[in-house]
Amino acid sequence: MLREWSHIKYTSHSSRGFSPVEIVLAVTVFGFLVVALAGALIYGMTSTAQAGDRARAVMLAEEGTEAVRNIRDASYANLISGTYGLAQSGNIWTLSGTSDTSGIYTRQIIVADNGTDRKTVTTRITWTQGSVTRQFDAVTQLTNWAAIIKTWANAAMVKTLDLTGTLDGLKIATQGNYAYVVRADGTPDFMIINMT
């Protein structure tokens, strides 16, 4: 005797598997997600490396600018227009050659005249990231501040002193037997008076 229920086919959706279209769609979505995450990870790592390289270049440029300031303070005559590298000799910075290197970085100090007793100093750092050459410039103005300081070459001794009218004394300070006077106008505008 045949059983009737054995010939009945189940056609409910719960028993059937994934169709080929659904599988292809799921694999495609999953592939896009993996590629997007991998791309974000690689881009993030590359950006971090580039930011670190640039930060080191900025620090090398600042070091170069401060070194040139030290060279200027030792003697302004040492700042001759041209392109140089930096070197240390006996813990003193000196301009040497046309560039200096530190790891992947090359540093150049470019000194140019910019008027009387003034120099424009450009510290240029170059380095290679992959196949791209990067560059960072730090530009500063340095002056011969020692030449601006007045000398006592024109000092004069006088017996009388008039501090009236436009020659009013703006500030007066005393120390021991001396008075120090700053005048509003006139030549000289700073005076030291022996009060003995």
Side-chain angles (χ1 to χ4, degrees):
M1 168 171 174
L2 287 174
R3 295 187 181 167
E4 187 76 25
W5 59 271
S6 66
H7 294 287
I8 299 173
K9 293 185 178 178
Y10 291 98
T11 58
S12 72
H13 295 289
S14 61
S15 65
R16 136 183 132 181
F18 291 107
S19 72
V21 173
E22 290 173 327
I23 293 173
V24 169
L25 182 62
V27 168
T28 303
V29 169
F30 182 73
F32 280 135
L33 287 174
V34 168
V35 168
L37 289 174
L41 182 63
I42 292 169
Y43 177 76
M45 290 171 52
T46 303
S47 295
T48 301
Q50 288 176 351
D53 288 347
R54 181 173 169 76
R56 285 186 286 281
V58 169
M59 287 189 283
L60 279 171
E62 288 174 359
E63 177 187 56
T65 300
E66 291 305 316
V68 174
R69 255 194 200 98
N70 286 337
I71 293 168
R72 183 266 325 255
D73 291 345
S75 175
Y76 186 79
N78 291 335
L79 293 182
I80 300 169
S81 294
T83 301
Y84 305 96
L86 286 173
Q88 280 190 334
S89 176
N91 291 329
I92 296 173
W93 287 106
T94 59
L95 297 172
S96 172
T98 57
S99 66
D100 63 278
T101 58
S102 175
I104 63 170
Y105 304 97
T106 301
R107 175 173 48 199
Q108 291 181 312
I109 306 295
I110 303 159
V111 180
D113 290 328
N114 188 11
T116 305
D117 291 325
R118 185 178 300 135
K119 301 279 185 178
T120 299
V121 177
T122 304
T123 305
R124 176 167 293 151
I125 309 295
T126 55
W127 71 101
T128 302
Q129 281 180 330
S131 61
V132 179
T133 300
R134 308 267 184 199
Q135 177 176 307
F136 176 79
D137 287 351
V139 180
T140 190
Q141 302 287 325
L142 296 180
T143 60
N144 186 5
W145 57 268
I148 298 170
I149 296 175
K150 301 202 186 265
T151 65
W152 292 100
N154 297 325
M157 292 182 63
V158 294
K159 294 185 178 186
T160 62
L161 181 62
D162 181 14
L163 297 177
T164 60
T166 60
L167 304 177
D168 287 348
L170 295 176
K171 294 187 178 187
I172 298 176
T174 59
Q175 179 69 37
N177 293 329
Y178 296 94
Y180 303 91
V181 179
V182 176
R183 296 195 309 180
D185 197 3
T187 302
D189 53 8
F190 175 72
M191 305 175 91
I192 302 173
I193 303 165
N194 186 344
M195 298 183 298
T196 58

